[in-house]
Amino acid sequence: MNGERVTIVDVATRAGVAISSVSSALNGRPGVSEATRERIVQVAAELGFVPSLRGKSLSGRRAFTLGLVLHRDPDVLELDPFFGGFIGGIEDAIDPRGYALVLQISAEPDEVLQRYEKLAADRRVDGVFVNDLEVDDPRIPVITRLGLPAVAVNPGADFPLPAVRQDPDDGIRALLQHLVGLGHRRIAYVGGRPNMTHSVQRERAWRAGLEELGLEPGPVVPGDFTYLAGASAASTLLGLAEPPTAVVCANDLSAIGLIAQAQHLGVDVPGTLSVAGFDDIRLGTYVRPPLTTVHTSPRELGRHAGRLLVDLIEEGVAEDVRIPAAELIVRESTGPAPAAG
Amino acid sequence: MNGERVTIVDVATRAGVAISSVSSALNGRPGVSEATRERIVQVAAELGFVPSLRGKSLSGRRAFTLGLVLHRDPDVLELDPFFGGFIGGIEDAIDPRGYALVLQISAEPDEVLQRYEKLAADRRVDGVFVNDLEVDDPRIPVITRLGLPAVAVNPGADFPLPAVRQDPDDGIRALLQHLVGLGHRRIAYVGGRPNMTHSVQRERAWRAGLEELGLEPGPVVPGDFTYLAGASAASTLLGLAEPPTAVVCANDLSAIGLIAQAQHLGVDVPGTLSVAGFDDIRLGTYVRPPLTTVHTSPRELGRHAGRLLVDLIEEGVAEDVRIPAAELIVRESTGPAPAAG
């Protein structure tokens, strides 16, 4: 660690607490016990961590750029629903404060890690955004070791970096209530990429929601957030001895693929099969039937992530943000369950 | 103009020639007359423009970042087919040479101009990419005045900045030959945003291609590259006293909207109406019927644009690039013309 750069991560690590706790403790906000607050203040003092002064003293050396390294195949970026809104939101927040966004795209996981190393080594950026989080994401120890200020989007619980979150639970619970209200009892699930935090969160919300309603979880078909995975899931589910009457998909794109393939197989949506997505991408309003889904807010997430990262760089602290939960949007791809056959 | 920064634009302006001519003249490549070459060499000498030395002398002051300012609504960026591949291609070219990409997005045209001013004033970037060119694009005089090295994507002819181009003509000509070979004689067109250079190029190619084949251009419906514009065009065209039997759309997304609306109106595609797009976005392979289209190469365009811009910054010259023409891809949305009614 470079002696000049005592960061909030150092304080959190030394004190054995989350960064958000350090932020709360040093800003006199609730959320930490008095004992913890005292320990954090003491550790910060020992390490010489003085948030606002540190921000000022470093200002002459800043790049005034923030990094976003996307781990995707550049050829398929075209269909990503999250990307445009999220970047637009970051811009909304950082441009008025004098920062610009450096964007990098890598298809290979190892290259992603190298990019962070290089951005830090070249002092190319003052901080980074971390999205598309994986379970046990290998980027986190690298970013922490590099001492790069960082803000994460939708990580799991007990995450060591400041984060913006939008919970899927309420939206999925409302969706399941909607389907059960329409008479559905066999409600299947088509998964997203299994190693991604948001896949895990959404599937867990589906399972918990059904349990709350006293129903057995229906069949689960693994997926990967793509149109093709949705289409393939349609064939799998409709080929079952007892097919579901409704399907919840991990995202809109796979729901749209599922509907197209169901229709191709002569199955009416929603007459025979109700289908719902997650994300509320624009395409879902164009397809027929228009897609019932859960609305998320990539632009809002981007705005808060941008604000948090600049706060973290300039003030040395940033508080976690939880934006209003994702919300159910009922359109025409869900309808009454067919009479039992 | 800053006295230290004599650029290729200055030489071209003073000599009254295109930048590509300056590049050819100073690099001993064909494409300029001997008289023009002599004039350019003389002007370059008068202005003290020495490409390779200049590149070296400025290296200590470089930001090693390149700017891309997109003029879009951040909320609708999600559906843009060009964006991901183009940025991926830029990255392929600039990262190995030590440059990173700064991305900005603005919904307002005036703000786009201010962003270029600001990028130049802050020396935030060493050069910029200019895409989505408009007819008489207001960005060009601003960029030229700022002396910002710049590379354009698919501008019109006689453009004052270095450019990468992919011609639509051959692909659209092949598409029309394909349709005429299937018996179509009334071939309509759904336009893109009318002020965009690539809209103009594509519509002109459609019109010229039909003339070459000895056919009258069919009805033209204005559009704006969106799914909704395509859907609306379907209603317009199918409501005509003599509807076309085939439609060429300015891009895939409007073709996909057109097909969906035609199907909704009970019109079989391609049985009653053949529909073709332009771009070859991945979504076109998923819809039913899969879309006949013209394949373009955003990632290749990005690679060449990235290479050209770094060349321009480091060597002071960059030669125009024309990549292989867009190509016809026949899928299932085009078929034999119905028997005359």
Side-chain angles (χ1 to χ4, degrees):
Chain A
M1 190 186 315
N2 183 324
E4 293 174 67
R5 288 178 60 98
V6 176
T7 70
I8 192 168
V9 177
D10 307 335
V11 179
T13 307
R14 179 79 69 94
V17 298
I19 286 171
S20 56
S21 302
V22 178
S23 170
S24 297
L26 298 182
N27 287 284
R29 284 188 299 258
V32 288
S33 70
E34 202 43 49
T36 304
R37 184 187 311 276
E38 278 173 22
R39 188 167 81 249
I40 290 169
V41 170
Q42 190 184 337
V43 167
E46 279 169 19
L47 293 176
F49 177 70
V50 186
S52 56
L53 286 180
R54 174 183 165 277
K56 290 197 185 79
S57 72
L58 280 178
S59 66
R61 298 167 54 206
R62 279 194 211 133
F64 288 100
T65 45
L66 309 175
L68 175 62
V69 183
L70 294 178
H71 174 204
R72 318 249 162 137
D73 179 347
D75 289 329
V76 300
L77 197 61
E78 64 172 59
L79 280 177
D80 196 284
F82 185 84
F83 186 74
F86 181 66
I87 289 181
I90 289 175
E91 281 271 300
D92 292 344
I94 72 174
D95 183 66
R97 296 177 74 175
Y99 287 77
L101 181 70
V102 163
L103 177 70
Q104 304 197 324
I105 303 174
S106 284
E108 301 303 325
D110 286 355
E111 202 181 75
V112 170
L113 297 179
Q114 285 162 19
R115 297 237 173 184
Y116 283 108
E117 302 260 8
K118 199 149 166 275
L119 285 172
D122 298 350
R123 297 189 172 280
R124 181 45 78 65
V125 298
D126 303 316
V128 293
F129 300 98
V130 189
N131 71 343
D132 290 337
L133 278 149
E134 294 174 30
V135 179
D136 295 325
D137 198 301
R139 294 173 295 179
I140 304 312
V142 171
I143 288 167
T144 307
R145 172 169 55 75
L146 293 169
L148 262 181
V151 168
V153 181
N154 282 332
D158 297 324
F159 191 75
L161 302 175
V164 291
R165 291 184 171 83
Q166 184 174 38
D167 284 336
D169 304 58
D170 288 359
I172 289 177
R173 183 182 295 118
L175 170 61
L176 293 170
Q177 285 167 348
H178 160 73
L179 290 171
V180 169
L182 289 166
H184 295 279
R185 296 296 177 268
R186 285 196 307 282
I187 303 175
Y189 188 77
V190 176
R193 279 172 50 200
N195 58 329
M196 310 290 287
T197 304
H198 58 301
S199 291
V200 173
Q201 289 166 346
R202 292 174 191 180
E203 183 166 342
R204 189 160 52 201
W206 165 81
R207 197 174 297 276
L210 286 175
E211 277 169 19
E212 278 174 27
L213 291 162
L215 290 175
E216 286 286 307
V220 174
V221 181
D224 60 7
F225 289 129
T226 65
Y227 182 103
L228 289 180
S232 159
S235 303
T236 304
L237 290 169
L238 292 166
L240 294 175
E242 224 183 350
T245 64
V247 189
V248 174
C249 297
N251 72 339
D252 287 346
L253 200 56
S254 55
I256 291 167
L258 194 152
I259 290 173
Q261 180 64 9
Q263 289 172 336
H264 184 65
L265 296 171
V267 171
D268 186 57
V269 176
T272 305
L273 185 68
S274 284
V275 181
F278 192 102
D279 278 337
D280 193 19
I281 66 173
R282 201 162 284 229
L283 189 60
T285 65
Y286 298 156
V287 293
R288 297 191 179 271
L291 188 66
T292 292
T293 187
V294 177
H295 176 79
T296 59
S297 316
R299 194 158 180 186
E300 271 310 292
L301 285 168
R303 281 197 187 112
H304 285 283
R307 180 175 62 75
L308 248 62
L309 187 52
V310 175
D311 283 354
L312 184 60
I313 291 161
E314 302 205 333
E315 311 294 335
V317 291
E319 209 180 351
D320 281 19
V321 170
R322 197 174 288 275
I323 70 171
E327 267 186 287
L328 175 64
I329 309 281
V330 175
R331 297 202 189 95
E332 298 165 34
S333 66
T334 47
Chain B
M1 190 187 314
N2 184 323
E4 295 173 66
R5 287 179 61 99
V6 177
T7 68
I8 193 168
V9 177
D10 307 334
V11 179
T13 307
R14 179 78 69 93
V17 299
I19 286 170
S20 55
S21 302
V22 178
S23 169
S24 298
L26 298 182
N27 287 285
R29 284 188 299 258
V32 287
S33 71
E34 201 43 48
T36 304
R37 183 187 311 278
E38 278 173 22
R39 188 167 81 249
I40 291 169
V41 170
Q42 193 185 335
V43 168
E46 280 169 21
L47 293 176
F49 176 69
V50 186
S52 55
L53 286 179
R54 173 183 166 276
K56 291 196 183 79
S57 73
L58 281 178
S59 65
R61 299 166 55 205
R62 281 197 209 129
F64 288 99
T65 45
L66 308 176
L68 175 62
V69 183
L70 293 178
H71 173 203
R72 320 248 161 139
D73 179 348
D75 289 330
V76 300
L77 196 63
E78 62 171 60
L79 281 177
D80 196 284
F82 186 85
F83 186 74
F86 182 66
I87 289 181
I90 289 175
E91 282 270 302
D92 292 343
I94 73 175
D95 182 66
R97 296 178 72 176
Y99 287 76
L101 182 71
V102 163
L103 179 69
Q104 303 197 325
I105 303 174
S106 282
E108 300 304 325
D110 287 354
E111 201 181 75
V112 170
L113 296 179
Q114 285 163 19
R115 297 237 174 185
Y116 283 108
E117 303 260 8
K118 197 149 169 275
L119 285 173
D122 299 350
R123 297 190 174 278
R124 179 47 77 64
V125 298
D126 303 314
V128 292
F129 300 97
V130 189
N131 71 343
D132 291 337
L133 277 149
E134 293 175 31
V135 179
D136 295 324
D137 197 302
R139 293 173 294 177
I140 304 310
V142 171
I143 288 168
T144 307
R145 171 169 57 74
L146 293 169
L148 261 182
V151 168
V153 181
N154 283 332
D158 298 323
F159 192 75
L161 302 174
V164 291
R165 290 183 171 86
Q166 183 174 42
D167 285 336
D169 303 60
D170 288 1
I172 289 178
R173 183 182 295 119
L175 170 61
L176 293 171
Q177 286 167 348
H178 160 71
L179 291 170
V180 169
L182 289 166
H184 295 279
R185 296 295 177 268
R186 285 196 307 282
I187 303 175
Y189 187 77
V190 177
R193 279 171 51 200
N195 59 329
M196 310 289 286
T197 304
H198 59 301
S199 292
V200 173
Q201 289 167 344
R202 292 175 192 180
E203 183 167 342
R204 191 162 50 202
W206 166 80
R207 198 173 295 276
L210 286 175
E211 277 170 17
E212 279 174 26
L213 291 163
L215 291 175
E216 286 286 308
V220 174
V221 182
D224 60 6
F225 289 129
T226 64
Y227 182 102
L228 289 180
S232 159
S235 303
T236 305
L237 290 169
L238 292 167
L240 294 175
E242 226 184 347
T245 63
V247 190
V248 174
C249 297
N251 72 340
D252 287 346
L253 200 57
S254 54
I256 291 167
L258 195 152
I259 290 173
Q261 180 64 9
Q263 290 171 337
H264 185 64
L265 296 171
V267 171
D268 184 58
V269 176
T272 304
L273 185 68
S274 284
V275 181
F278 191 103
D279 279 337
D280 194 19
I281 64 174
R282 201 163 283 229
L283 189 59
T285 66
Y286 299 154
V287 293
R288 297 190 181 272
L291 188 65
T292 293
T293 188
V294 176
H295 175 78
T296 59
S297 315
R299 193 158 180 187
E300 271 309 293
L301 286 167
R303 280 195 186 116
H304 285 284
R307 181 174 60 76
L308 248 61
L309 187 51
V310 175
D311 283 352
L312 184 61
I313 290 160
E314 302 206 333
E315 311 293 335
V317 291
E319 210 179 350
D320 281 21
V321 169
R322 197 175 288 275
I323 72 171
E327 269 185 286
L328 174 65
I329 308 282
V330 176
R331 296 200 189 96
E332 297 166 36
S333 66
T334 48

